[in-house]
Structures are given as C-alpha cells and as structure tokens.
C-alpha cells in the first residue's frame, strides 16, 4: 500500500517517520523544497524530549504531480488549506485511493467530502507534537506514560468506512513504536483532542505565554476551565459524551517535562504572523453551540481576540 503524507511539515514528517519504521511504504509531499530535499538526502532528524533521537531517510516530493498515484493519502495540512491541497492533489488520486485526515479540530471533513465519498474517508487523532527546528530537523514530544495512546485511527462512516485499512495503519504505527488503537467510533477521540487544543492553544496565542505560564495565574486557569466546560456542554448536546471532570483531570498528563513549556501550534502561527486554525477550534465550538442552543461566551471571546490580532499584525506595539 503506497501511502503519501500530504502536508509533511513538522508533525506530518514525524508521523511518516514512525509509520515507515513500522514497515509502511511512505512518501512525503510538501512544497517546502528545502525540508523535503534534506530528508531525502540526509534523513529527517528527530530530537525527542524522551531521548529517542534518530535520523531516517524517506522518499519525498515537492508536489502531487511528482509523487503520482497512491493508495492512501494522509492529510496533515492545516485545516485552512485542506480544500486547496486536495484540489492540487489530483495526480495522487486514483479510483480506489483512500484518505485519512489527522488534522486538528472540526470541519475538515466538509472539504474532504468534495473529493472523496464517505466510504473512502478515515480519521486519525494524534497524541504527540512536533516543532520544525530547521529544514530536515524537528523536535518532538512523545509521551511514553503508561496508558498514553499516540494515535487513534478509525472510519469516518462507521457503516461503510474502510475499517481494515484503518486497522492496517494501526499495525504499522505499533510496529514503529507508537501506542496505537483502532476506534470504531472516532468521534470521542476527536473531541477529546479538541478539548486540549481549544482550552490551551488560543489562550497561549493571545497571551504569548506557554500553558505553564497561563495556568500559574488563577485567571488563566479559570479561562482554560470555562472554555473546556463549554466544549463539553456542546459535545454532549451533539451526542458525543464529554465528562468535564474526567477531561479536566486528564490535563494532569500534560505536566510531563517539555510540554507545559511548549508553545502550541496556534501560538506558533501567531508568532509567525500567520492566520491560525481558530475557526476549526474555538470558532467551531462557538458555531456548534449556536446550532444546538448552548451558550459559549468564552469560546466566542477567545475566537474574537485571535481574529482581532490576526487582522492587526502590522499594528501591534513592539514586544521586547
């Protein structure tokens, strides 16, 4: 099975590395030519907080046209670019090609369904993070705590989805040293990951702080918890069981070294003056809340703050 990682930046190339080490036939596809060329010629260098530093060569391409048809596309772009990436990926898509979205948040399936039928769509939830240090070099966080699952995979459509392919991917991930599980119903895992992202990412972005620094201040902890509480209420209203107390307790898992001091993806995007994925995170919770009649003032607020900052990168006062 030929597998292409479409959007092979920091996290995409890291996922590709583990799957290839598990025996998968991987190729990375990303327009960042220097990153792709470095990986192809010298190998991807992974610096891990758990001491798992390694260097692995992989097959890479700058575009879908260069890559050619594959059996499975793992979509790893920002949700902002799903539609654009897939519209430019026709050279990789054959009549039997499947797709797996391992993107953060909600709403990417709307773009994916324009190109793939429900019976060809898989979804994945990643439990690790990565930052691009330099072309061909990343720093990744892999939590090896007992019970920690690094990747869940399952069909989007529980009736018609490609379940066996999801199970095959799970086996590749396991063989590549990840803790992986097949999920017949992937929705609770998507919402649980979104709970982490929605409660943390935007707060770190607008305050320019790590989660550790935000959480040390009572007001920061309060905002974090209220954003999370609203998300759980919306999830329950949409038929996805979300236990606020249980999920809040699970945040103790992120206190292992290296994570609380990490700037999450939304903060990294804002630092680089890039548009964030806020519409796929807190913005999505605000939209869903309106649909199901649940008030979401905290998610509304943090979404608005992110959009205000995004619209004024050139007008902000300098930060020393």
């Amino acid at each position: 099975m030929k597998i292409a990682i479409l959007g092979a930046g920091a996290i995409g190339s890291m996922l590709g590395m583990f799957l290839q080490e598990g025996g998968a036939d991987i190729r990375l596809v990303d327009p960042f030519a220097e990153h792709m060329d470095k990986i192809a010629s010298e190998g991807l260098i992974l610096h891990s907080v758990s001491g798992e530093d390694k260097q692995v060569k992989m097959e890479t391409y700058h575009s879908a046209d260069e890559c050619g048809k594959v059996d499975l596309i793992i979509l790893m772009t920002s949700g902002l670019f799903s539609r654009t990436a897939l519209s430019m990926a026709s050279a990789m898509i054959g009549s039997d090609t499947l797709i797996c979205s391992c993107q953060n948040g909600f709403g990417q399936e709307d773009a994916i369904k324009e190109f793939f039928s429900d019976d060809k769509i898989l979804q994945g939830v990643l439990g690790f993070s990565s930052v691009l240090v330099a072309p061909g070099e990343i720093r990744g966080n892999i939590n090896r705590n007992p019970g920690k699952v690094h990747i869940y995979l399952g069909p989007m459509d529980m009736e018609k989805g490609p379940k066996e392919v999801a199970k095959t991917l799970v086996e590749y991930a396991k063989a590549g040293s990840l803790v992986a599980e097949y999920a017949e119903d992937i929705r609770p895992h998507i919402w649980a990951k979104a709970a982490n992202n929605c409660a943390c990412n935007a707060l770190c972005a607008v305050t320019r702080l790590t989660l550790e620094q935000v959480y040390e201040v009572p007001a920061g902890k309060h905002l974090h918890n209220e954003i999370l509480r609203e998300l759980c209420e919306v999830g329950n209203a949409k038929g996805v069981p979300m236990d606020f107390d249980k999920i809040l307790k699970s945040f103790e898992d992120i206190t292992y070294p290296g994570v609380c001091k990490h700037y999450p993806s939304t903060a990294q995007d804002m630092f680089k003056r890039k548009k964030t994925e806020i519409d796929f995170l807190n913005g999505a919770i605000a939209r869903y809340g309106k649909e199901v009649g649940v008030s979401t003032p905290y998610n509304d607020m943090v979404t608005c703050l992110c959009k205000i900052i995004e619209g004024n990168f050139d007008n902000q006062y300098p930060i020393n």
Side-chain angles (χ1 to χ4, degrees):
M1 180 168 60
K2 294 181 179 179
I3 302 173
I5 309 284
L6 182 58
I11 192 68
S13 57
M14 185 174 174
L15 174 61
M17 170 188 279
F18 283 110
L19 291 176
Q20 179 169 294
E21 290 199 311
D25 182 6
I26 295 292
R27 61 268 298 131
L28 307 181
V29 183
D30 197 282
F32 187 3
E34 193 176 356
H35 184 49
M36 293 295 94
D37 294 345
K38 196 83 169 181
I39 294 172
S41 62
E42 300 179 22
L44 176 67
I45 299 172
L46 167 65
H47 304 293
S48 175
V49 295
S50 58
E52 301 172 60
D53 290 10
K54 59 180 71 178
Q55 188 166 358
V56 178
K57 286 186 178 182
M58 285 177 276
E59 188 177 329
T60 68
Y61 298 94
H62 303 159
S63 69
D65 290 342
E66 294 177 4
C67 179
K69 285 185 172 51
V70 296
D71 300 302
L72 173 68
I73 296 170
I74 299 180
L75 186 60
M76 293 295 299
T77 65
S78 162
L80 294 166
F81 307 117
S82 297
R83 187 171 285 101
T84 300
L86 290 175
S87 68
M88 298 174 66
S90 58
M92 292 198 302
I93 302 172
S95 58
D96 297 321
T97 301
L98 306 176
I99 188 165
C100 177
S101 168
C102 289
Q103 300 158 292
N104 285 335
F106 308 99
Q108 296 88 353
E109 64 274 11
D110 295 335
I112 294 171
K113 286 182 178 183
E114 295 177 17
F115 301 87
F116 293 87
S117 56
D118 289 4
D119 62 331
K120 293 184 177 180
I121 304 174
L122 298 166
Q123 291 178 295
V125 178
L126 303 182
F128 51 88
S129 61
S130 181
V131 177
L132 190 68
V133 177
E137 187 175 358
I138 59 175
R139 182 173 63 251
N141 290 318
I142 295 286
N143 183 353
R144 296 296 187 185
N145 287 350
K148 177 67 176 179
V149 176
H150 301 132
I151 181 169
Y152 292 98
L153 290 155
M156 186 189 74
D157 188 317
M158 288 182 277
E159 296 293 327
K160 300 181 293 183
K163 299 179 181 182
E164 293 308 313
V165 174
K167 293 175 182 178
T168 298
L169 281 177
V170 166
E171 293 308 311
Y172 283 139
K174 287 180 177 179
S177 80
L178 293 178
V179 179
E181 287 188 11
Y182 170 76
E184 188 78 13
D185 184 357
I186 196 74
R187 295 175 304 162
H189 304 294
I190 291 174
W191 277 79
K193 174 68 181 294
N196 188 328
N197 289 329
C198 289
C200 305
N201 288 20
L203 281 182
C204 293
V206 299
T207 59
R208 304 185 182 214
L209 300 171
T210 66
L211 179 60
E212 178 181 65
Q213 293 164 334
V214 169
Y215 218 67
E216 283 178 345
V217 180
K221 186 174 182 179
H222 170 72
L223 289 177
H224 171 280
N225 291 357
E226 292 308 310
I227 288 170
L228 180 61
R229 190 186 308 278
E230 290 177 0
L231 179 145
C232 290
E233 291 175 359
V234 172
N236 285 320
K238 287 180 69 67
V240 182
M242 300 292 289
D243 186 321
F244 169 76
D245 292 327
K246 182 178 179 180
I247 294 174
L248 185 61
K249 187 176 185 303
S250 75
F251 275 95
E252 296 174 1
D253 290 342
I254 67 172
T255 60
Y256 67 97
V259 175
C260 280
K261 301 179 187 301
H262 171 71
Y263 292 100
S265 57
T266 306
Q268 292 178 46
D269 286 341
M270 200 166 279
F271 176 78
K272 297 172 184 175
R273 298 189 166 203
K274 294 167 55 179
K275 189 174 181 181
T276 72
E277 291 184 287
I278 193 68
D279 284 333
F280 297 90
L281 297 170
N282 305 81
I285 297 304
R287 291 194 305 275
Y288 292 162
K290 290 180 175 65
E291 292 173 7
V292 298
V294 173
S295 178
T296 59
Y298 287 93
N299 281 277
D300 289 343
M301 175 198 66
V302 78
T303 300
C304 289
L305 288 174
C306 279
K307 288 183 176 293
I308 291 169
I309 295 172
E310 287 177 13
N312 286 279
F313 284 137
D314 294 333
N315 300 322
Q316 295 176 29
Y317 60 83
I319 301 293
N320 293 326

